[in-house]
Amino acid sequence: NAGVTQTPKFQVLKTGQSMTLQCAQDMNHEYMSWYRQDPGMGLRLIHYSVGAGITDQGEVPNGYNVSRSTTEDFPLRLLSAAPSQTSVYFCASSPAGAVYEQYFGPGTRLTVT
Amino acid sequence: AQRVTQPEKLLSVFKGAPVELKCNYSYSGSPELFWYVQYSRQRLQLLLRHISRESIKGFTADLNKGETSFHLKKPFAQEEDSAMYYCALHTGGFKTIFGAGTRLFVKA
């Protein structure tokens, strides 16, 4: 099993550009989530999904969209990148009945200039 | 307010010395607390949860509701324990609140 995979590993965007961060898991987990990690702060939840077709907002959802068309994939879209979105983004998945047992991807380091 | 505080950004100890990574939380309900660890060039991974009351890699953590703390302890630190440690509070549903993390550096 590859576990949770994320692409790309690094990305540089200009202000106003859009892009999609990819996340996939092969563990048949129902729950998936996106976090951002900023210096001196813990991980903050952006969006999450409790199953295919179901998504909801986390703590810091503004400027991001998600969709969950399949169990495996949970892409995060930045609609119009801003410097404040410079961060490291982590995707995580967890099995039904153990939402707290999160398996994390390797992260994507995004810089917006 | 729901909050997790890890007061130390960096903790440096000598190999063989005891180590305690502090974590305090603020939550009015019944907390579920966890420790996550990220070793160099590896992914963030779950280390232990308070309900299991287990010892993982020699680490233990006891939930103290009176002091609202969940400190991570190990009696004899090893160099391979050097990593970033995050305390996390699961408040129900899908919400987990992470602390800012403590970097543990174990010196030879």
Side-chain angles (χ1 to χ4, degrees):
Chain A
N1 284 356
V4 179
T5 58
Q6 290 182 239
T7 56
K9 289 186 179 179
F10 303 95
Q11 183 69 49
V12 179
L13 290 178
K14 293 188 189 309
T15 297
Q17 287 184 317
S18 63
M19 80 158 295
T20 299
L21 306 185
Q22 301 291 344
C23 174
Q25 53 94 6
D26 61 0
M27 297 174 283
N28 203 31
H29 286 170
E30 288 194 14
Y31 303 130
M32 296 186 74
S33 55
W34 276 102
Y35 292 88
R36 60 177 289 173
Q37 183 182 41
D38 301 295
M41 304 183 74
L43 280 72
R44 291 183 293 168
L45 184 64
I46 304 171
H47 285 286
Y48 66 94
S49 169
V50 298
I54 307 170
T55 64
D56 206 346
Q57 296 181 349
E59 183 184 355
V60 288
N62 292 341
Y64 308 95
N65 274 0
V66 291
S67 60
R68 184 101 179 266
S69 56
T70 67
T71 299
E72 295 77 20
D73 300 297
F74 191 44
L76 178 73
R77 280 182 288 276
L78 281 71
L79 307 173
S80 178
S84 61
Q85 293 178 304
T86 293
S87 188
V88 181
Y89 291 84
F90 290 99
C91 179
S93 72
S94 47
V99 63
Y100 52 81
E101 191 174 328
Q102 299 188 70
Y103 294 78
F104 283 85
T108 294
R109 186 174 293 275
L110 175 67
T111 302
V112 183
T113 62
Chain B
Q2 300 163 350
R3 186 182 299 119
V4 174
T5 303
Q6 294 180 250
E8 303 141 328
K9 287 186 178 179
L10 173 66
L11 183 62
S12 183
V13 301
F14 282 102
K15 177 182 172 182
V19 61
E20 180 179 68
L21 296 152
K22 290 183 168 52
C23 172
N24 289 92
Y25 67 91
S26 173
Y27 181 55
S28 57
S30 182
E32 288 188 67
L33 285 146
F34 306 85
W35 278 97
Y36 282 81
V37 61
Q38 188 172 26
Y39 301 102
S40 179
R41 296 187 180 86
Q42 294 188 28
R43 304 176 184 206
L44 191 62
Q45 56 187 287
L46 181 63
L47 179 63
L48 55 79
R49 53 185 297 224
H50 87 271
I51 284 182
S52 60
R53 300 185 66 81
E54 56 193 345
S55 173
I56 303 292
K57 299 184 178 184
F59 284 98
T60 59
D62 290 320
L63 176 60
N64 186 323
K65 291 186 178 180
E67 296 184 358
T68 61
S69 68
F70 187 57
H71 303 328
L72 184 68
K73 300 177 184 179
K74 185 170 182 177
F76 307 104
Q78 302 299 314
E79 289 180 74
E80 55 265 30
D81 295 329
S82 295
M84 194 75 180
Y85 291 82
Y86 294 93
C87 182
L89 167 68
H90 183 66
T91 61
F94 208 88
K95 193 171 182 183
T96 300
I97 300 168
F98 286 82
T102 297
R103 182 168 295 282
L104 174 64
F105 181 57
V106 181
K107 298 177 283 189

